[in-house]
Amino acid sequence: MKYLNTNPNPESNVIKFKKSGIVSVISFLLLLAAISVTAFIVYLKSEGYDFSTMSVKDAVAYLKDKSNDNDTSSTEITFSQDGSVDCKLYDGYTVILSQDSIKWYDRKGKLLQENALTLARPVLRISEKYMVVADISGRDIFFYKGKKQLWSKKLDNQIINLDVSDDGYCTVVTQSKEFKSAVQVIDINGLETYTKLCAQDIVVSAKSIHDGNDVFINKLTTDSVKTGTILEFNNIYDEKPFASLNITDTIIPLVFEQGDNVVAVGQNMILYLDKQGKEVWKKNAESIFCVAPEIEKYIVVAGKFSNEGEISGQQIVVLDKEGNTLYSFEQPENIIGMDIYGGRLLLRTQRSVYLYSVKGKKLGQYSARNELKDAYLVGDNEVIIVAGGSIETVKIDESTT
């Protein structure tokens, strides 16, 4: 039997089939695009994008910035926020001291060691090689090199302040029943090498200098109407100081070593003292807010300075060892902390850190979610941030400024 072809134009079926297939493909692609756009919008919304300025270019740029922000945090370590925690970078570790323990973490946030302690007001003091753990208003001291405890002591009197030198000498200021305060120096083996009792003046701080041969003592004088400071240089073998400076109308809270010399930073002045305790130079200011802790090459101070014929303003001033101003520039906002790494400065406010060159060029900025407790510059653009109850490593992208 023969079947007759009733379609006078058989090629039209093929054309209809092809058109139908193309329409299906286009419909599928449009559906896929709609799903993708919807997913993209949902993702943007979850990332906090402002749709009042919606554009594809802005949206992509926004996500790129978010991606960069996410890449900045390479590690995060959490800790209690009860106010009794002290954190420091020491010997390549992140050390967290609390009332009941001390913990060492590596740079990736891995817990390396934990030791149990019982402290009421725990504090850390570090030098290049050594670390001291103490209980302020308590009597316990623990001395470390790296993660190894070398010795521990329970003192007779309550601890007021303490310091540790690069040579391994621990200098402790304590209360005394018979005197206002006392200064003790303990060597790397836990042996006491020096003691001085102070009957009249209150000792604010003390530190071992000149390879352990001398002791620098910073006293607060209260025997007059105006408060002042006495800076003493003592030899460990002599009872009386070999040099003493009486500074009226100011308090000297910060003291640093630069070789054999001492840099004392007060409320409104910077003093540079030589090995014999003599003043080499002095720079005055209306007020000083903070100073960078590392002064090997530069002395970097944030404060309010006034030049002759000019209105005073808040500035960052970079000094050399002779007291000459190498660079100065205006602060971005109120600075409460600084750090230095090579030729780069980290300026810390309550919520932000700014990366600058020592010459005053702004290189980058990072804003934290919580109030900053501390910040350390550990590379050209790598910063360790202590904020809220966490410590995280952040890389500041210099290309964004």
Side-chain angles (χ1 to χ4, degrees), residues 378-397:
V378 294
D380 286 342
N381 66 337
E382 190 174 7
V383 183
I384 293 182
I385 301 288
V386 183
S390 68
I391 300 174
E392 59 181 329
T393 303
V394 170
K395 287 187 178 180
I396 298 179
D397 187 2

Side-chain angles (χ1 to χ4, degrees), residues 39 61 132 243 336 353 363 396:
V132 177
I336 58 175
V353 289
L363 303 175
I396 298 179

